[in-house]
Amino acid sequence: MQAHEIMIKQVYKVKENDKIRAVIEKFIDHHISGLPVVNDRNEIVGYISDGDIMRYIGKHEDKVIDFFFYLAVFQGDVDEFDARTEALLNANVMDIAKRKVTTVAWNEEIENIAAILGKKQIKKLPVQRNGVLVGIISRGDVIRNVFKIK
């Protein structure tokens, strides 16, 4: 069984110039926890997950986000946490997205996909064909297709 046989073809994604606000909206609207980031040619340039968001909701030291944070605090009487979350919403997705993305080819065998998901301890794998995003496979997709139990 190959990736193209089990992958989800309708992939929720964000563009590399989108704001984190668009990511959060897709997470909430579609009940998902991660998104591939693509350029205008639909090539994968990053991946952003709820874990990446969690790291920035908490206290951190990041020059890009901190610039917006200090700007928000300076402009008014804003709570520190509120300023940090507002700054995050207005940041560019590529400011915090992972740029080194593990992907699989559209014809990758399911055994290899399972091995990658397990070894890398990731939940989803973007699928590409000729360098373009064509689908996504989750751990659940692999389990459902390997074990046909009702």
Side-chain angles (χ1 to χ4, degrees):
M1 193 174 307
Q2 295 183 334
H4 64 90
E5 298 173 273
I6 66 169
M7 70 184 187
I8 302 209
K9 294 176 179 84
Q10 181 186 357
V11 182
Y12 298 112
K13 58 191 172 188
V14 288
K15 297 274 186 143
E16 63 185 333
N17 294 322
D18 284 346
K19 301 290 183 196
I20 298 295
R21 181 177 305 276
V23 171
I24 301 294
E25 288 170 353
K26 287 190 181 190
F27 281 2
I28 293 168
D29 292 346
H30 303 293
H31 306 283
I32 56 176
S33 59
L35 291 163
V37 183
V38 297
N39 62 20
D40 290 333
R41 295 178 303 281
N42 208 38
E43 298 165 329
I44 302 164
V45 296
Y47 193 89
I48 187 160
S49 70
D50 55 359
D52 299 319
I53 302 295
M54 291 301 114
R55 280 188 282 284
Y56 282 89
I57 290 175
K59 293 191 177 189
H60 64 280
E61 292 182 20
D62 180 272
K63 291 178 178 142
V64 174
I65 304 298
D66 283 344
F67 169 76
F68 294 111
F69 163 69
Y70 288 119
L71 186 62
V73 171
F74 178 75
Q75 289 179 340
D77 188 18
V78 180
D79 176 79
E80 193 174 312
F81 181 77
D82 290 342
R84 192 167 53 251
T85 55
E86 187 63 28
L88 178 60
L89 287 173
N90 292 315
N92 181 280
V93 67
M94 290 307 292
D95 290 339
I96 68 170
K98 288 179 179 59
R99 293 172 187 265
K100 188 174 181 182
V101 182
T102 302
T103 64
V104 292
W106 70 280
N107 60 349
E108 189 68 64
E109 294 293 332
I110 196 166
E111 296 91 347
N112 295 333
I113 294 166
I116 293 166
L117 287 166
K119 183 178 181 183
K120 299 266 187 176
Q121 297 182 345
I122 53 180
K123 296 177 184 177
K124 296 179 183 178
L125 277 171
V127 180
Q128 53 184 348
R129 184 173 188 177
N130 299 322
V132 174
L133 177 67
V134 293
I136 196 155
I137 297 176
S138 71
R139 292 177 180 181
D141 297 326
V142 173
I143 290 171
R144 274 188 296 283
N145 283 279
V146 170
F147 304 102
K148 307 253 184 210
I149 301 172
K150 289 188 178 189

